[in-house]
C-alpha cells in the first residue's frame, strides 16, 4: 500500500511538472508563478511523506531479520557452549553449527535488502498491467471485410451517439448525435456546418471508427464500418486536424511518418501538387529542417499545410476528412490553405468541417447541424434562399 501510494503521488508530481513546462507562457502571462510553485511544493511534500513511510517500513523490516539471525547465533552459543563444557559436543561441531546458522540467515537478510526494490517493482507492475488488462471497447470483427479501394460512398442511417462509458445507458442530455441520416456520393465534396458542439467532429470520428454509435449504422461503400478492420479502415482515411501533431525530427520524417519505404520524390510530388513545395523550401534546410517538439518553430498555418501533405501522402486515392483545417490562421495563409484543400479534395470523397463559411462555397453540398441533429442540407445558394438556420449563421458572420 505504501509503494502504491508513492507511485500515485509521483505520477501527480510528474503530471504537474509537465503541465508547468507546457503552459509556461500562460503561467507567465497571468503571473501565476508563485501559485504553481506552491502547488508543486505541496505535491513534492506529499511524495516526501510517502517515501518516508516506505523507509520507515524498510528500517523496521531489515533490522528485524538481522536481529533474528544474531539471536539464533546467540542462542546456539549459549546452548552449544554448555554442551562443549560438559564434553557432550566438540568445539569444532559448535563452530560448524554457528557457520551453518549464519549461512541460513544470510539469504533471508539479502531478501530483506531486496524487499524495497521488490515492492517498488510490484507497485509499478500493478499500474502497467492495469493498462495492459484494460478491455478494448472497439473490437475488430472475426471475419473482416477486406478493403482494396474505397469508391467513397458514405452513409449514416439513423445514427445516435453519446460519449458515455460502455454499458451505461445515455440519458437525454448525453446524446451528441440524434437520429442523423445522410448519404454522400462517391467523389462528392461535402461541408459540415454548425455551432460549436453541434456534432460535426463526432461525424468524422464515427467514419474513422474512433467510436461506435449506440444506435444506427455508419456505412462506407455499403458496408458497416464495424465490418472492417480498424487498422485497414484508417489506412484509407486521411484526416487533417485543427491542431496537427508534429513529431521531433525532420520535415520529411513528419510528412512520411518515419516510413523509409516512401521515397522523397513521392513526398515532393505531393507537396508540389498541393502548392506547398515552395513554402517547405523556404525553411532553413527545406525538407531536412529539424523540428522541435510538436513542431516548435513553425506557425499554425505551416503545420496545417504539412498535415495536409501528410494526409494526402498516406491515402492518395481514397477518403479524405478535414477537420477545421483553416482555423486560427490569417487571411493570406487561409487563402493558401483553401487552394491546397480544394486540390486535395479533387476526385475523392471529402468532408470539410469549417466555422468560416467562406471556405465552403465551392463544395457540392452543405450539411447543417444544430444540437446534434441534421437540420438542413443543400448548396450554399439554395440554403441562403431558404432563409433557415444556415442563412442565420451566414448573416451573423457577415453582419458588417
Amino acid at each position: 500500500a505504501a509503494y502504491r501510494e508513492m507511485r500515485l503521488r509521483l505520477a501527480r508530481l510528474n503530471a504537474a511538472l509537465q503541465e508547468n513546462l507546457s503552459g509556461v507562457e500562460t503561467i507567465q502571462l497571468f503571473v501565476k508563478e508563485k501559485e504553481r510553485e506552491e502547488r508543486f511544493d505541496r505535491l513534492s511534500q506529499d511524495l516526501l511523506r510517502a517515501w518516508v513511510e516506505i523507509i520507515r517500513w524498510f528500517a523496521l523490516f531489515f533490522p528485524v531479520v538481522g536481529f533474528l539471525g544474531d539471536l539464533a547465533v546467540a542462542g546456539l552459543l549459549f546452548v552449544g557452549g554448555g554442551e562443549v563444557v560438559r564434553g557432550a559436543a566438540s568445539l569444532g561441531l559448535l563452530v560448524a553449527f554457528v557457520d551453518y546458522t549464519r549461512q541460513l540467515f544470510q539469504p533471508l537478510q539479502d531478501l530483506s535488502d531486496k524487499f524495497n526494490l521488490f515492492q517498488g517493482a510490484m507497485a509499478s507492475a500493478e499500474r502497467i498491467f492495469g493498462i495492459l488488462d484494460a478491455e478494448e471497447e472497439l473490437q475488430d470483427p472475426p471475419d473482416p471485410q477486406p478493403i482494396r479501394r474505397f469508391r467513397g460512398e458514405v452513409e449514416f442511417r439513423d445514427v445516435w451517439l453519446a460519449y458515455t462509458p460502455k454499458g451505461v445507458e445515455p440519458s437525454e442530455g448525453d446524446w451528441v448525435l440524434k437520429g442523423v441520416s445522410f448519404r454522400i456520393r462517391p467523389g462528392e465534396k461535402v461541408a459540415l456546418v454548425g455551432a460549436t458542439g453541434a456534432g460535426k467532429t463526432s461525424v468524422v470520428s464515427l467514419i474513422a471508427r474512433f467510436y461506435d454509435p449506440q444506435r444506427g449504422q455508419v456505412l462506407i461503400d455499403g458496408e458497416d464500418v464495424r465490418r472492417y478492420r480498424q487498422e485497414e479502415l484508417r489506412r484509407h482515411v486521411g484526416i487533417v486536424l485543427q491542431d496537427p501533431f508534429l513529431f521531433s525530427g525532420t520535415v520529411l520524417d513528419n510528412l512520411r511518418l518515419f516510413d523509409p519505404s516512401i521515397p522523397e520524390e513521392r513526398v515532393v510530388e505531393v507537396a508540389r501538387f498541393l502548392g506547398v513545395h515552395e513554402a517547405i523550401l523556404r525553411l532553413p534546410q527545406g525538407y531536412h529542417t529539424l523540428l522541435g517538439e510538436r513542431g516548435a518553430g513553425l506557425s499554425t498555418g505551416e503545420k496545417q499545410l504539412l498535415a495536409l501533405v501528410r494526409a494526402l501522402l498516406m491515402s492518395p486515392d481514397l477518403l479524405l476528412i478535414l477537420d477545421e483545417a483553416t482555423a486560427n490562421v490569417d487571411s493570406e495563409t487561409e487563402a493558401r490553405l483553401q487552394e491546397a484543400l480544394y486540390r486535395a479534395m479533387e476526385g475523392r470523397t471529402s468532408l470539410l468541417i469549417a466555422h468560416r463559411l467562406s471556405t465552403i462555397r465551392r463544395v457540392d453540398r452543405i450539411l447543417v447541424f444544430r444540437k446534434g441533429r441534421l437540420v438542413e442540407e443543400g448548396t450554399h445558394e439554395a440554403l441562403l434562399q431558404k432563409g433557415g438556420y444556415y442563412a442565420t449563421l451566414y448573416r451573423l458572420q457577415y453582419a458588417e
Side-chain angles (χ1 to χ4, degrees):
Y3 275 90
R4 191 180 296 117
E5 186 65 24
M6 183 276 293
R7 287 290 172 184
L8 179 62
R9 294 181 184 184
L10 179 60
R12 289 174 180 169
L13 183 69
N14 288 335
L17 180 60
Q18 190 273 335
E19 282 182 352
N20 289 343
L21 293 175
S22 300
V24 63
E25 291 183 0
T26 304
I27 293 170
Q28 291 176 338
L29 180 64
F30 290 95
V31 197
K32 292 295 181 183
E33 292 93 340
K34 185 177 179 181
E35 288 85 347
R36 300 301 297 184
E37 183 179 352
E38 289 174 352
R39 182 171 183 269
F40 187 80
D41 285 342
R42 287 196 301 272
L43 293 173
S44 297
Q45 290 298 320
D46 288 344
L47 180 60
L48 175 63
R49 283 191 290 271
W51 268 114
V52 168
E53 183 67 18
I54 290 171
I55 292 171
R56 181 179 293 116
W57 280 104
F58 178 68
L60 175 65
F61 186 72
F62 186 76
V64 164
V65 175
F67 173 74
L68 291 176
D70 293 338
L71 183 63
V73 171
L76 183 60
L77 288 173
F78 178 77
V79 176
E83 295 297 316
V84 170
V85 170
R86 287 194 295 269
S90 67
L91 180 61
L93 183 62
L94 175 61
V95 172
F97 267 89
V98 169
D99 188 53
Y100 292 153
T101 304
R102 289 192 181 279
Q103 289 184 39
L104 172 66
F105 277 91
Q106 186 61 47
L108 296 177
Q109 199 149 12
D110 289 342
L111 282 176
S112 68
D113 191 29
K114 301 297 186 291
F115 177 77
N116 195 34
L117 180 63
F118 176 74
Q119 288 293 315
M122 287 294 291
S124 300
E126 186 178 77
R127 294 171 67 87
I128 293 171
F129 283 112
I131 296 174
L132 295 178
D133 293 340
E135 183 182 354
E136 289 188 38
E137 291 191 9
L138 302 180
Q139 300 283 348
D140 286 331
D143 54 339
Q145 179 74 18
I147 304 173
R148 292 184 179 178
R149 179 176 176 178
F150 281 137
R151 291 182 295 107
E153 182 185 56
V154 178
E155 185 177 359
F156 275 50
R157 293 180 182 172
D158 192 28
V159 170
W160 292 70
L161 173 69
Y163 297 114
T164 53
K166 189 176 181 179
V168 177
E169 182 64 29
S171 62
E172 182 60 33
D174 292 330
W175 297 108
V176 287
L177 291 179
K178 306 171 185 177
V180 174
S181 298
F182 61 83
R183 179 178 173 272
I184 299 173
R185 296 182 297 275
E188 190 175 16
K189 296 186 286 290
V190 176
L192 307 182
V193 172
T196 300
K200 306 182 298 298
T201 303
S202 297
V203 170
V204 167
S205 299
L206 289 175
I207 294 174
R209 208 194 166 198
F210 292 131
Y211 304 95
D212 281 340
Q214 278 81 0
R215 306 175 194 168
Q217 286 182 299
V218 178
L219 300 98
I220 298 179
D221 288 357
E223 285 283 352
D224 194 311
V225 292
R226 287 170 284 204
R227 293 276 298 117
Y228 299 122
R229 287 181 62 244
Q230 297 172 63
E231 181 180 348
E232 198 172 356
L233 169 66
R234 291 165 191 162
R235 190 177 291 122
H236 293 277
V237 177
I239 302 179
V240 181
L241 300 174
Q242 178 178 346
D243 183 20
F245 188 92
L246 297 178
F247 299 90
S248 299
T250 65
V251 171
L252 181 63
D253 289 336
N254 273 278
L255 293 179
R256 59 187 183 186
L257 286 177
F258 302 91
D259 185 355
S261 65
I262 301 175
E264 184 173 348
E265 293 76 16
R266 170 62 179 158
V267 179
V268 173
E269 178 187 349
V270 174
R272 285 185 185 277
F273 172 74
L274 294 175
V276 182
H277 178 67
E278 297 301 326
I280 295 176
L281 290 183
R282 283 195 291 270
L283 297 172
Q285 281 84 42
Y287 287 87
H288 299 280
T289 301
L290 280 172
L291 302 179
E293 186 179 358
R294 298 185 66 89
L298 296 180
S299 67
T300 302
E302 288 171 330
K303 291 179 185 178
Q304 290 170 337
L305 286 170
L306 295 182
L308 187 58
V309 175
R310 182 167 65 189
L312 195 58
L313 189 65
M314 294 301 163
S315 53
D317 300 319
L318 301 161
L319 194 65
L320 181 68
I321 299 174
L322 309 168
D323 186 1
E324 289 292 1
T326 60
N328 305 322
V329 295
D330 59 83
S331 299
E332 182 181 351
T333 305
E334 182 185 2
R336 289 168 54 202
L337 273 170
Q338 283 187 33
E339 188 60 35
L341 286 177
Y342 284 107
R343 287 184 183 181
M345 289 191 292
E346 197 62 41
R348 56 176 51 85
T349 302
S350 307
L351 277 80
L352 173 62
I353 298 177
H355 285 130
R356 298 188 186 185
L357 303 185
S358 60
T359 64
I360 59 173
R361 293 183 179 180
R362 292 161 58 183
V363 300
D364 300 318
R365 190 154 48 108
I366 299 171
L367 304 180
V368 185
F369 287 82
R370 186 179 188 184
K371 297 180 179 179
R373 296 187 183 276
L374 177 61
V375 293
E376 293 177 338
E377 61 178 297
T379 64
H380 172 72
E381 293 76 14
L383 290 173
L384 286 181
Q385 291 178 3
K386 186 178 179 181
Y389 183 58
Y390 178 82
T392 302
L393 291 176
Y394 189 83
R395 284 195 300 270
L396 288 173
Q397 196 165 116
Y398 296 98
E400 64 277 4

